[in-house]
Amino acid sequence: MKVLVIGGGAREHALCRSLSLDPDVTALYCAPGNAGIAEVAELHPVDQLDGDAVARLAGELGAELVVVGPEAPLVAGVADAVRAAGVPVFGPSKEAALLEGSKAFAKDVMAGAGVPTARSYVCTTPEEIDEALDAFGAPYVVKDDGLAAGKGVVVTADVEQARAHALACDRVVIEEYLDGPEVSLFAITDGTTVLPLQPAQDFKRALDGDEGPNTGGMGAYSPLPWADPKLVEEVLGSVLQPTVDELRRRGTPFSGLLYAGLAITGRGVRVIEFNARFGDPETQVVLARLKTPLAGVLLNSANGTLADQAPLNWSDDAAVTVVVASHNYPDTPRTGDPIEGLDDIAAQDAPHAYVLHAGTKRDGDKVVSAGGRVLSVTATGSDLTQARERAYAAVGRIRLDGSQHRTDIARKAAEG
């Protein structure tokens, strides 16, 4: 099978790495990719928001499966253009991707499906914003209705900060605060059958101890030793399957990756958000544990044949990923700094630890930073303690001027 992956971050590097290890994949392409992906896939330039250009590239390459990684191309309708060209594609239609593209749409779908979530108001005027903030009280949860690359949510006890964020958005969802630990659960679906993956937990705040501003994610781990063993089964029944059924009932079937961001509250599981694609950085740890070859599973989703898929096979190992971010992330990150130590990790830490590139590019014979989140250093081990040790040992070999990373990814879960 010839596979084309669209995107250029660490999530796409994780997907390409898994696909490159799949014996059924005879050719692997990525557009536009990055310096790390170039080691496992042939890179091609493309405007990833231009569906016709992506479909044309898939045709030129003879791709038999296109995997759309990021949310922006999905919300722009890239999967529709590829499907219209007759190429199987892993990723929802533009209409179904609104589940991530609009928080208000997602709330409406959840209401129709009877999915448990936070109470919320959709606001478009300053008066509505003040009423909603007053109704819920602190801590305030304010979400930009549209896509914001993981940085559209503000959770704060400061009403003025909450109001300022709300006023900066065209349309905003203000909702009750959900207490309890958060879990990310991915499911692959073809619009009817839903196949859940293993849960993960990510770390949104920039600094240790969950301090600092929200980011796209600073690290993740899987499995979750503290979670109820029946969690996946429960979420499949109360959240994932009802959502897929509701979208199909509405005439907008969802095929691809459905990502549920969950809060495990004192009153049970509640949905914080839905995404329409693999999460970053959780993908890095979930795929590190998946033993079933990936391409066939994604193709079954694209072709509507997921009911024929054999049960997934998972490693008992734990996986931890630590994001190395550039100076000043998540504000205006500095780019163009050389990255050193990558060869040392490949020589000394493989195969248990490896580096997935996020914001990197090649500059002559050097690899330099090209984004806010630069690398996802990922490691596996017999338990979270060993996976953490291996991940942080590898992080210690990286030299990137001004870089930052959290030192407490998975620490609490490892200590039990």
Side-chain angles (χ1 to χ4, degrees), residues 210-414:
D210 291 328
E211 300 288 331
N214 251 0
T215 70
M218 295 298 290
Y221 69 93
S222 178
L224 312 182
W226 49 268
D228 185 328
K230 296 197 179 79
L231 177 67
V232 173
E233 198 181 319
E234 180 194 336
V235 174
L236 176 62
S238 66
V239 174
L240 298 169
Q241 191 72 56
T243 301
V244 168
D245 292 346
E246 172 69 10
L247 284 163
R248 190 175 67 252
R249 188 187 66 75
R250 290 173 177 230
T252 53
F254 186 106
S255 127
L257 195 290
L258 178 59
Y259 165 138
L262 309 164
I264 314 299
T265 76
R267 294 169 296 148
V269 173
R270 297 287 183 275
V271 175
I272 300 168
E273 64 174 353
F274 282 126
N275 291 331
R277 39 74 197 179
F278 278 103
D280 185 346
E282 300 99 320
T283 302
Q284 289 85 303
V285 293
V286 173
L287 291 186
R289 300 185 57 225
L290 179 64
K291 292 166 78 171
T292 301
L294 185 62
V297 186
L298 303 187
L299 187 64
N300 278 332
S301 163
N303 286 338
T305 52
L306 207 54
D308 301 335
Q309 175 67 45
L312 298 179
N313 189 8
W314 294 94
S315 166
D316 291 332
D317 281 357
V320 171
T321 193
V322 180
V323 170
V324 177
S326 50
H327 178 72
N328 208 35
Y329 177 76
D331 293 327
T332 310
R334 192 173 79 207
T335 58
D337 288 312
I339 304 164
E340 296 176 341
L342 298 174
D343 292 342
D344 297 344
I345 294 171
Q348 298 181 55
D349 301 283
H352 301 298
Y354 48 90
V355 179
L356 298 167
H357 291 233
T360 69
K361 67 177 183 183
R362 197 159 272 289
D363 181 7
D365 59 354
K366 290 188 307 221
V367 174
V368 300
S369 60
R373 292 187 294 174
V374 182
L375 305 168
S376 281
V377 180
T378 306
T380 55
S382 59
D383 57 19
L384 285 174
T385 299
Q386 188 179 48
R388 281 191 86 242
E389 286 168 359
R390 287 171 169 172
Y392 279 107
V395 168
R397 301 191 202 281
I398 290 167
R399 296 178 296 286
L400 171 60
D401 189 44
S403 69
Q404 51 174 321
H405 65 271
R406 283 184 57 162
T407 66
D408 62 347
I409 303 300
R411 180 192 289 155
K412 201 184 289 184

Side-chain angles (χ1 to χ4, degrees), residues 11-375:
R11 161 187 44 228
E12 288 75 37
H13 193 176
L15 286 163
C16 285
R17 179 182 182 273
S18 288
L19 289 164
S20 74
L21 298 172
D22 186 333
D24 289 337
V25 175
T26 51
L28 181 59
Y29 311 102
C30 188
N34 62 37
I37 295 173
E39 294 173 15
V40 294
E42 183 180 300
L43 301 193
H44 291 268
V46 79
D47 176 354
Q48 54 184 339
L49 299 181
D50 183 339
D52 292 337
V54 172
R56 203 161 44 244
L57 177 62
E60 289 166 7
L61 295 172
E64 293 154 290
L65 173 66
V66 174
V67 180
V68 183
E71 60 272 27
L74 292 168
V75 172
V78 166
D80 303 84
V82 176
R83 262 189 207 101
V87 181
V89 58
F90 180 80
S93 66
K94 179 178 182 174
E95 280 187 306
L98 259 186
L99 200 63
E100 176 167 7
S102 167
K103 304 285 189 298
F105 175 74
K107 288 289 186 185
D108 189 57
V109 170
M110 283 188 264
V115 167
T117 185
R119 292 179 300 123
S120 63
Y121 295 106
V122 180
C123 308
T124 53
T125 68
E127 294 76 25
E128 288 173 348
I129 287 166
D130 286 340
E131 280 178 31
L133 292 172
D134 197 42
F136 288 130
Y140 304 98
V141 181
V142 183
K143 299 180 175 182
D144 190 333
D145 181 52
L147 290 181
K151 296 188 278 287
V153 180
V154 165
V155 180
T156 178
D158 182 342
V159 70
E160 291 309 321
Q161 186 188 358
R163 182 181 286 116
H165 182 64
L167 291 170
C169 306
D170 289 337
R171 186 158 79 148
V172 69
V173 174
I174 295 174
E175 62 183 39
E176 69 174 327
Y177 176 76
L178 296 174
D179 64 333
E182 294 185 13
V183 173
S184 301
L185 185 60
F186 303 162
I188 291 170
T189 178
D190 58 6
T192 303
T193 301
V194 182
L195 189 66
L197 306 186
Q198 288 288 304
Q201 186 174 58
D202 78 331
F203 294 76
K204 288 286 185 216
R205 299 285 186 170
L207 306 175
D208 283 7
D210 291 328
E211 300 288 331
N214 251 0
T215 70
M218 295 298 290
Y221 69 93
S222 178
L224 312 182
W226 49 268
D228 185 328
K230 296 197 179 79
L231 177 67
V232 173
E233 198 181 319
E234 180 194 336
V235 174
L236 176 62
S238 66
V239 174
L240 298 169
Q241 191 72 56
T243 301
V244 168
D245 292 346
E246 172 69 10
L247 284 163
R248 190 175 67 252
R249 188 187 66 75
R250 290 173 177 230
T252 53
F254 186 106
S255 127
L257 195 290
L258 178 59
Y259 165 138
L262 309 164
I264 314 299
T265 76
R267 294 169 296 148
V269 173
R270 297 287 183 275
V271 175
I272 300 168
E273 64 174 353
F274 282 126
N275 291 331
R277 39 74 197 179
F278 278 103
D280 185 346
E282 300 99 320
T283 302
Q284 289 85 303
V285 293
V286 173
L287 291 186
R289 300 185 57 225
L290 179 64
K291 292 166 78 171
T292 301
L294 185 62
V297 186
L298 303 187
L299 187 64
N300 278 332
S301 163
N303 286 338
T305 52
L306 207 54
D308 301 335
Q309 175 67 45
L312 298 179
N313 189 8
W314 294 94
S315 166
D316 291 332
D317 281 357
V320 171
T321 193
V322 180
V323 170
V324 177
S326 50
H327 178 72
N328 208 35
Y329 177 76
D331 293 327
T332 310
R334 192 173 79 207
T335 58
D337 288 312
I339 304 164
E340 296 176 341
L342 298 174
D343 292 342
D344 297 344
I345 294 171
Q348 298 181 55
D349 301 283
H352 301 298
Y354 48 90
V355 179
L356 298 167
H357 291 233
T360 69
K361 67 177 183 183
R362 197 159 272 289
D363 181 7
D365 59 354
K366 290 188 307 221
V367 174
V368 300
S369 60
R373 292 187 294 174
V374 182
L375 305 168

